[in-house]
């Protein structure tokens, strides 16, 4: 089954509202085995909406529209769909009753334009709105289906889950399931070259690469009669990817972030952590504190942006700053050592760099970042050269700090485990 998503609303085109509905619907359709090849955003204009819908029906079996079901004159979605599909609009008694009840409970007088929301295309499936005034509609004509959903996400999502999920399951004999293998410490081009043989031979399942800031995600997707059979096809491919990329794989759970994987690693090994940051301004700390349960491992965090703060708070020597500058391997090392001593944390992370757009030199250009990590006396520092604007450089530095710290902790755990085995 081929589907298509049309988001209706001039406010979307103007950027006044972020179109989160399309992302949600695309994800839901993929999980339900509906292949979506096109997404369109169109304003509240009858002519343009009609042309957009005509085009969608030429190439898709099911068209999902969100927005334009309100009471005002520029809410045209239902009227355009009914006209194009040659379906007469008729009053739905239950929809009308729900409208009356909605306004009475709130002590609001119903204006005449509200009654248009009780009109639905004849012989359509009405999806009653438990969270607003506009009912949704599933209209069928021949081999084509239009699914009309309200624009507000708080109304659209519950309606989709209550009505549309079952509708698709009844019509679609297949399901599509995916597992995401998340990697860090490796670039997208390198990842793709490492799995070129798998991509060239792929059929079902398929592998798709997605570049994120400091990460690469591999989505393994399979189509089958049910989710159990789809996952059966996916597992061998995921196993191959884990074998090829080893500890660069930090999770295969969609909801797990890099920072959560790092915190889970610390929790599993009874290790605590502290941070001291300059150019990232507390972003590493913020990413860690996003993780529920991090209070069990997070001990200390400081932003030492000025040279004075670096000296006073974490003990960076004035002579080191004068000789090597604040953006240097030597300062990053003294920052991480000082933070570890001050907090008595098992793992210390430091970041110092130039985020720009000014401040760079020929020897230390904008985007130069030094990151250090100390795990119980085992210290490593690495130099990075990031590109992009100030925000992008800082975001990349945070991802690199988490990646390097995770790598150092894994190496420490391996050394300890090896030492224990050797002692025995």
């Amino acid at each position: 089954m081929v589907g298509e998503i049309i988001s209706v609303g001039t406010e979307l085109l103007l950027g006044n509202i972020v179109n989160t509905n399309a992302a949600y619907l695309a994800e839901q359709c993929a999980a339900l085995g509906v292949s979506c090849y096109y997404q369109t955003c169109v304003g509240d204009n009858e002519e343009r909406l009609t042309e957009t819908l005509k085009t969608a029906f030429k190439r898709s079996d099911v068209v999902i529209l969100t927005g334009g079901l309100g009471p005002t004159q520029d809410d045209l979605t239902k009227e355009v769909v009914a006209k194009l599909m040659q379906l007469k609009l008729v009053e739905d008694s239950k929809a009308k009753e729900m409208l009356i009840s909605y306004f009475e409970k709130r002590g609001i007088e119903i204006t005449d334009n509200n009654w248009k929301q009780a009109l639905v295309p004849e012989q359509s499936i009405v999806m009653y709105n438990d969270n607003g005034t506009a009912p949704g509609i599933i209209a069928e004509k021949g081999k084509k289906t239009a699914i009309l959903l309200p624009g507000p996400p708080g109304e659209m999502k519950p309606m989709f889950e209550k009505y549309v999920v079952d509708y698709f399951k009844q019509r679609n004999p297949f399901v599509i399931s995916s597992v995401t293998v998340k990697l860090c410490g490796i670039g997208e081009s390198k990842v793709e070259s490492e799995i070129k043989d798998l991509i060239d031979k792929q059929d079902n399942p398929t592998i798709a690469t997605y570049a994120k800031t400091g990460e690469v995600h591999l989505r393994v997707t399979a189509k089958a009669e049910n989710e159990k059979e789809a996952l059966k096809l996916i597992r061998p491919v995921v196993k191959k990817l884990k074998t090829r990329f080893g500890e660069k794989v930090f999770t295969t759970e969609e909801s797990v972030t890099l920072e959560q994987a790092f915190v889970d690693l610390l929790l599993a090994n009874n290790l605590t952590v502290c941070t001291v940051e300059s150019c990232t301004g507390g972003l590493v700390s913020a990413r860690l504190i996003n993780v529920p349960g991090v209070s069990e491992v997070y001990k200390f965090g400081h932003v030492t942006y000025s040279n004075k703060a670096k000296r006073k708070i974490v003990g960076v020597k004035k002579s080191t700053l004068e000789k090597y500058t604040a953006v240097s391997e030597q300062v990053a090392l003294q920052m991480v050592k000082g933070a570890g001593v001050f907090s008595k944390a098992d793992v210390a992370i430091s970041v110092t760099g130039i985020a720009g757009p000014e401040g760079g030199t020929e020897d230390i250009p904008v985007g130069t970042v030094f990151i250090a990590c100390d795990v119980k006396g085992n210290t490593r520092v690495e130099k990075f050269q990031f590109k992009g604007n100030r925000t992008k450089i800082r975001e990349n530095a945070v991802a690199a700090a988490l990646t390097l710290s995770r790598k150092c902790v894994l190496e420490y755990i391996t050394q300890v485990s090896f030492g224990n085995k050797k002692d025995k």
Side-chain angles (χ1 to χ4, degrees):
M1 184 189 300
V2 177
E4 188 158 339
I5 299 166
I6 299 176
S7 304
V8 183
T10 302
E11 68 278 7
L12 295 170
L13 289 175
L14 295 175
N16 295 330
I17 297 176
V18 177
N19 189 5
T20 59
N21 285 349
Y24 169 83
L25 291 170
E27 185 177 26
Q28 293 297 313
C29 286
L32 291 163
V34 180
S35 301
C36 289
Y37 302 126
Y38 297 94
Q39 292 183 18
T40 308
C41 184
V42 62
D44 301 301
N45 178 277
E46 183 175 357
E47 183 179 348
R48 288 191 286 272
L49 178 54
T50 300
E51 290 304 310
T52 301
L53 193 54
K54 283 181 180 178
T55 301
F57 274 139
K58 287 177 182 178
R59 60 195 180 195
S60 303
D61 307 308
V62 180
V63 180
I64 304 174
L65 302 99
T66 60
L69 300 181
T72 61
Q73 287 186 349
D74 63 350
D75 290 310
L76 301 164
T77 302
K78 178 171 54 182
E79 290 74 12
V80 169
V81 169
K83 184 177 180 180
L84 188 61
M85 299 182 79
Q86 298 181 332
L87 297 171
K88 182 181 177 182
L89 288 174
V90 296
E91 186 176 272
D92 183 88
S93 58
K94 183 175 179 179
K96 185 175 182 179
E97 289 174 7
M98 290 181 71
L99 266 175
I100 294 170
S101 176
Y102 181 92
F103 283 100
E104 283 183 347
K105 285 180 180 179
R106 288 160 179 78
I108 303 172
E109 182 181 353
I110 302 178
T111 56
D112 289 340
N113 57 0
N114 282 116
W115 296 122
K116 68 176 278 191
Q117 292 184 296
L119 299 176
V120 301
E122 59 184 348
Q123 299 178 345
S124 62
I125 300 169
V126 182
M127 300 181 287
Y128 298 105
N129 193 342
D130 298 322
N131 301 283
T133 58
I137 296 156
I138 300 177
E140 299 174 317
K141 188 68 176 287
K143 295 182 179 180
K144 302 296 181 179
T145 301
I147 298 176
L148 284 62
L149 296 164
E155 299 176 33
M156 184 276 291
K157 290 180 181 180
M159 187 179 292
F160 186 93
E161 290 161 12
K162 182 177 180 179
Y163 294 97
V164 184
V165 170
D166 286 340
Y167 178 80
F168 279 142
K169 284 181 177 179
Q170 291 171 13
R171 290 195 59 186
N172 202 346
F174 296 103
V175 299
I176 295 177
S177 293
S178 298
V179 171
T180 301
V181 179
K182 298 184 181 181
L183 314 176
C184 63
I186 188 170
E188 184 184 21
S189 58
K190 178 66 174 174
V191 169
E192 192 170 78
S193 67
E194 291 287 329
I195 59 171
K196 188 176 184 303
D197 59 317
L198 299 179
I199 293 174
D200 289 344
K201 296 176 184 177
Q202 69 182 356
D203 179 26
N204 186 29
T206 59
I207 305 172
T209 61
Y210 300 91
K212 306 288 182 179
T213 301
E215 303 174 26
V216 178
H217 294 183
L218 299 174
R219 188 179 294 274
V220 185
T221 305
K223 180 185 288 187
E225 292 183 359
N226 53 61
E227 186 176 11
K228 183 178 179 181
E229 290 301 314
L231 291 175
K232 190 175 179 181
L233 294 169
I234 289 170
R235 287 191 191 101
V237 178
V238 171
K239 186 176 180 180
K240 287 181 182 178
L241 295 173
K242 285 183 174 180
T243 300
R244 293 196 183 190
F245 294 108
E247 63 185 31
K248 288 183 172 63
V249 177
F250 66 87
T251 188
T252 57
E253 298 293 330
E254 183 66 44
S255 61
V256 174
T257 60
L258 178 56
E259 56 266 31
Q260 183 173 336
F262 179 59
V263 169
D264 288 345
L265 183 65
L266 296 175
L267 286 167
N269 292 278
N270 297 312
L271 297 171
T272 55
V273 66
C274 68
T275 59
V276 57
E277 306 174 59
S278 184
C279 65
T280 47
L283 291 179
V284 176
S285 174
R287 284 275 294 267
L288 291 173
I289 292 170
N290 277 340
V291 181
V294 73
S295 58
E296 296 295 320
V297 299
Y298 189 74
K299 294 193 71 174
F300 167 101
H302 261 300
V303 177
T304 57
Y305 203 74
S306 68
N307 285 354
K308 184 177 180 180
K310 291 178 178 66
R311 298 198 318 268
K312 297 293 184 181
I313 295 173
V314 288
V316 176
K317 294 179 180 179
K318 184 177 180 180
S319 59
T320 305
L321 288 162
E322 290 175 346
K323 184 176 182 179
Y324 298 104
T325 79
V327 182
S328 62
E329 176 182 335
Q330 292 78 6
V331 167
L333 284 169
Q334 289 187 12
M335 286 171 67
V336 82
K337 286 292 185 183
V341 169
F342 185 89
S343 68
K344 295 182 171 58
D346 302 311
V347 181
I349 305 166
S350 72
V351 185
T352 183
I354 304 177
E358 299 175 350
T361 66
E362 186 175 341
D363 294 330
I364 310 174
V366 169
T368 303
V369 178
F370 288 91
I371 300 171
C373 180
D374 182 277
V375 184
K376 290 197 170 185
N378 299 282
T379 309
R380 173 181 294 188
V381 61
E382 290 190 8
K383 179 182 179 180
F384 298 86
Q385 190 64 54
F386 299 118
K387 302 294 183 183
N389 59 24
R390 183 178 179 86
T391 298
K392 192 66 176 176
I393 289 169
R394 295 174 74 217
E395 288 175 348
N396 275 303
V398 173
L402 292 171
T403 298
L404 177 62
S405 302
R406 175 179 175 272
K407 183 178 181 180
C408 291
V409 170
L410 287 171
E411 288 177 353
Y412 169 78
I413 293 166
T414 300
Q415 290 171 4
V416 170
S417 299
F418 180 77
N420 289 340
K421 289 178 182 178
K422 191 174 181 180
D423 292 341
K424 291 179 181 179

